[in-house]
Amino acid sequence: MKLSRSAGSWAWMPLAVACTLGLTAVKVQAQSSVYSPIPLPSNREITDTLSDNDIPTGVGGFARDYTVQFEDGDQVAIDLISEEFDTLITLLGPDGTTVGENDDGPDGTTNSLLFARITESGTYTVRVRSYAGQGSGEFLLKVARLRPVD
C-alpha cells in the first residue's frame, strides 16, 4: 500500500511538534551508594558488624557480602561466629548461584560452619546474615582453604 503525499506528511507531525516545543533535560539523582562487596583481607579473617545499614535481604533482615578468590579443586571451611545474633552463612559462586549455606554449626551453638568443594575458579561471595532476619551485631568471619595432611 502506497501512502499519498498528504498522508505521509502527517507521519512526521510528532517529530515536528517535538522539535518546535523543544526537549527538556531532567537531572536525575544517582543513588548515594553502590553495591560493592568487601574483599576479604589476605589472611581471610575479619571482625565486622552486621547492621540495618547493610544490604536489605528482601525477606527481613540485612546481609553483608565479602569477596574471595577460589581455585577449582579448593576445599574450604567458612566459619561465622557471633555472640550477638544467630548467624547464617551463604557461599555464592561466580555466577551468583548458591554453592552452600549453613545456619548452625556442629558444635551445638547458633554459629555457622560451612564446608564446600570448589568446582570453578573465580570470585566467590561470602554472605553474612542473621537467621530469619532477626538480629545484628559484631561477628568474626574466617575463610580457610583446607589442605591434605602429609
Side-chain angles (χ1 to χ4, degrees):
M1 176 178 174
K2 188 173 183 180
L3 293 175
S4 69
R5 189 165 186 74
S6 61
S9 63
W10 287 104
W12 296 101
M13 186 59 78
L15 181 60
V17 171
C19 291
T20 305
L21 297 176
L23 299 175
T24 305
V26 177
K27 186 175 182 179
V28 178
Q29 286 279 346
Q31 291 179 313
S32 59
S33 62
V34 175
Y35 171 73
S36 182
I38 303 160
L40 278 176
S42 59
N43 69 354
R44 296 185 177 183
E45 187 174 310
I46 191 166
T47 299
D48 209 345
T49 303
L50 180 66
S51 75
D52 59 2
N53 292 323
D54 288 313
I55 308 160
T57 63
V59 292
F62 297 86
R64 196 156 179 83
D65 288 354
Y66 300 88
T67 58
V68 61
Q69 292 291 322
F70 290 133
E71 300 298 322
D72 180 18
D74 284 349
Q75 294 184 47
V76 297
I78 304 170
D79 199 8
L80 178 59
I81 302 165
S82 178
E83 300 285 329
E84 300 181 23
F85 64 94
D86 185 355
T87 63
L88 180 62
I89 193 77
T90 306
L91 179 62
L92 303 170
D95 62 356
T97 59
T98 300
V99 173
E101 188 169 74
N102 182 266
D103 172 24
D104 294 331
D107 61 356
T109 68
T110 59
N111 295 319
S112 302
L113 180 60
L114 173 66
F115 294 99
R117 182 181 308 258
I118 304 303
T119 59
E120 178 184 352
S121 298
T123 302
Y124 285 72
T125 301
V126 177
R127 177 163 291 163
V128 171
R129 56 193 173 115
S130 60
Y131 179 77
Q134 304 296 312
S136 59
E138 190 172 283
F139 62 87
L140 171 62
L141 174 64
K142 297 179 188 179
V143 177
R145 186 175 294 146
L146 304 175
R147 305 250 189 249
V149 177
D150 292 327

